[in-house]
Amino acid sequence: MEDRFSEIKKDIQSIIDNMAIKNFSEASIKLIEVSDDLDDMMDASDDEIVLREISKYQVLLNHLQIKMSTKE
């Protein structure tokens, strides 16, 4: 599970990097992919610690989505 979270972190950094260079279409695609991955992880887990970690990333993705929607 830890390697999935490190991959999620890299993907989120990629979203932020694409937003910084105003490549919102690529950032948006990656955001959807990461969001879907987190949903799948949430469906597959009943571990409270894992679910809490997933929810932190979901909150971050929501903030990034809001940021993108105001910039596009």
Side-chain angles (χ1 to χ4, degrees), residues 4-42:
R4 294 227 18 217
F5 282 125
S6 65
E7 191 63 35
I8 298 279
K9 288 177 189 176
K10 288 178 192 170
D11 289 342
I12 289 174
Q13 186 60 53
S14 172
I15 294 167
I16 293 167
D17 292 345
N18 278 299
M19 288 173 66
I21 60 172
K22 306 211 182 313
N23 187 356
F24 294 112
S25 61
E26 186 65 34
S28 184
I29 291 168
K30 184 59 79 175
L31 190 142
I32 292 167
E33 290 173 3
V34 174
S35 184
D36 288 345
D37 286 346
L38 288 173
D39 288 344
D40 292 343
M41 290 170 67
M42 183 171 274

